[in-house]
Amino acid sequence: QVQLVESGGGLVQPGGSLRLSCAASGFTFSRYVMSWYRQAPGKERELVAAIISAGGSTNYADSVKGRFTISRDNAKNTVYLQMNSLKPEDTAVYYCNGRWIREYWGQGTQVTVSS
């Protein structure tokens, strides 16, 4: 059974940091492009960051470049999103996504940036 389980969300003050993790199982993780998406209330889901299967190439939304870092550990079947210098506009539910032959989604984890 395929599972993507996110963790690490929570409430943080502006300027703070969080690290999200997504543990994958049930598919060949190392072959999949792994991404983080987010969806804020009343807005469409948007791509935040992506990392190719080999882990060498990454892609970021302009709004998070220089603040967020995506990485993966294929030995642990886990993808991470390090989020620094968080802003209130980063508040959203963050979703893990795996895509290759099929596409899989996690259940999401809430990130709230507020003082």
Side-chain angles (χ1 to χ4, degrees), residues 18 21 28 48 60 65 75 92 94 101 107:
L18 283 175
S21 299
T28 310
V48 175
Y60 296 93
K65 281 181 181 177
Y94 284 71
I101 295 176
Q107 83 288 348

Coordinates of all heavy atoms in Angstrom, one line a residue, residues 18 21 28 48 60 65 75 92 94 101 107:
L18 N 11.2 25.8 10.1 CA 10.6 24.5 10.3 C 11.2 23.5 9.3 O 11.6 24.0 8.2 CB 9.1 24.5 10.0 CG 8.2 25.1 11.1 CD1 6.8 25.1 10.6 CD2 8.3 24.3 12.4
S21 N 9.1 16.7 6.9 CA 9.6 15.4 6.4 C 8.4 14.7 5.8 O 7.3 14.8 6.2 CB 10.1 14.6 7.6 OG 11.2 15.2 8.2
T28 N 8.7 2.5 -5.5 CA 10.1 2.6 -5.7 C 10.5 4.1 -5.6 O 10.6 4.8 -6.6 CB 10.6 2.0 -7.0 OG1 10.0 0.7 -7.2 CG2 12.1 2.0 -7.1
V48 N 5.8 24.2 -4.6 CA 6.8 24.9 -3.8 C 8.2 24.5 -4.2 O 9.0 25.4 -4.4 CB 6.6 24.6 -2.3 CG1 7.7 25.2 -1.4 CG2 5.2 25.0 -1.8
Y60 N 12.4 25.5 -7.6 CA 11.7 26.2 -6.5 C 10.7 27.2 -7.1 O 11.0 27.9 -8.1 CB 12.7 26.9 -5.6 CG 13.6 26.0 -4.8 CD1 14.8 25.6 -5.3 CD2 13.2 25.4 -3.6 CE1 15.6 24.8 -4.6 CE2 14.0 24.6 -2.9 CZ 15.2 24.2 -3.4 OH 16.1 23.4 -2.7
K65 N 12.5 30.9 -3.1 CA 13.9 30.7 -3.5 C 14.7 31.5 -2.5 O 14.5 32.6 -2.1 CB 14.1 31.3 -4.9 CG 13.7 30.4 -6.0 CD 14.0 31.0 -7.4 CE 13.6 30.0 -8.5 NZ 13.8 30.6 -9.8
A75 N 17.9 6.3 0.7 CA 18.1 5.2 1.6 C 17.0 5.1 2.7 O 16.7 4.0 3.2 CB 19.5 5.2 2.3
A92 N 0.0 27.7 5.2 CA -0.7 26.8 4.2 C -0.7 25.4 4.7 O 0.1 25.1 5.7 CB -0.1 26.9 2.8
Y94 N 0.8 22.0 3.7 CA 1.9 21.5 2.8 C 1.7 20.0 2.5 O 1.5 19.2 3.4 CB 3.2 21.8 3.4 CG 3.6 23.2 3.4 CD1 3.0 24.2 4.1 CD2 4.6 23.6 2.5 CE1 3.3 25.5 4.1 CE2 5.0 25.0 2.4 CZ 4.3 25.9 3.2 OH 4.7 27.2 3.1
I101 N 5.6 7.0 -12.9 CA 4.6 6.3 -13.6 C 3.2 6.7 -13.1 O 2.2 6.9 -13.9 CB 4.8 4.8 -13.5 CG1 6.1 4.4 -14.2 CG2 3.6 4.1 -14.2 CD1 6.5 3.0 -14.1
Q107 N -1.2 13.3 3.0 CA -2.5 13.9 3.6 C -2.3 15.4 4.0 O -3.3 16.0 4.2 CB -2.9 13.1 4.8 CG -2.2 13.5 6.1 CD -0.7 13.0 6.2 OE1 -0.2 12.3 5.3 NE2 0.0 13.5 7.2

